[in-house]
Amino acid sequence: MTRIARSKLSRLLYAILAYVSLGIGLVAIVIPGLPTTEFILLAAWAATRSSPRLSAWLENHRLFGPILFNWRNGKVIQRRAKVSATISMLLCASFMLIVLEHHWPVFLAIGGMAMGNLWIWSRPERPIPQGSVELQN
């Protein structure tokens, strides 16, 4: 388990990062294109260094708890979360291409979504049992 930061300034900065990340993660639940999982993971990481209370709340939360448990036990992202993220990014990218002028910031945002999507799909969907060796072809 990660230790809480020693200095008050460090704890404050980690707490700010935790709450801002949690806020963005909550907003991302309803806004397509914004990744929820990454912001919740960042919030949990920062909370473990600043606020045991926030950390415990996240770990016991009905929605976020399983995400954090899966991540801590094999860096797992469930298929349902992957599909949901992919669909929301596709909707957001489509909306941007339809509504906005096609300048470099639009393509940069779509590229960022594509990179995030590739990373999400590179994570395992189930924990790998301990002691088993995964064969690679």
Side-chain angles (χ1 to χ4, degrees):
M1 190 87 187
T2 305
R3 295 184 186 169
I4 293 177
R6 290 185 183 198
S7 76
K8 287 184 180 183
L9 178 61
S10 294
R11 281 195 308 272
L12 175 65
L13 293 174
Y14 280 124
I16 290 169
L17 178 61
Y19 283 105
V20 168
S21 298
L22 178 59
I24 294 171
L26 291 172
V27 169
I29 292 172
V30 294
I31 295 183
L34 263 175
T36 303
T37 302
E38 289 88 339
F39 285 108
I40 298 305
L41 292 175
L42 180 59
W45 174 80
T48 60
R49 286 156 178 78
S50 63
S51 171
R53 185 175 170 190
L54 176 59
S55 182
W57 181 81
L58 285 168
E59 290 174 10
N60 294 314
H61 192 273
R62 180 183 61 84
L63 178 63
F64 306 135
I67 292 170
L68 296 173
F69 178 82
N70 286 337
W71 184 255
R72 289 186 176 140
N73 292 293
K75 304 214 182 306
V76 172
I77 299 177
Q78 293 179 337
R79 180 173 295 231
R80 190 175 113 201
K82 292 177 180 183
V83 170
S84 174
T86 301
I87 289 170
S88 70
M89 286 186 227
L90 285 171
L91 288 172
C92 184
S94 299
F95 181 76
M96 287 170 47
L97 288 171
I98 292 168
V99 174
L100 301 175
E101 292 185 32
H102 297 173
H103 294 298
W104 68 268
V106 170
F107 297 114
L108 182 65
I110 292 172
M113 284 188 270
M115 297 295 287
N117 205 23
L118 288 172
W119 180 84
I120 288 170
W121 282 95
S122 73
R123 304 293 96 206
E125 295 176 2
R126 289 183 210 97
I128 298 170
Q130 283 188 326
S132 70
V133 177
E134 196 173 306
L135 297 176
Q136 296 180 354
N137 293 335

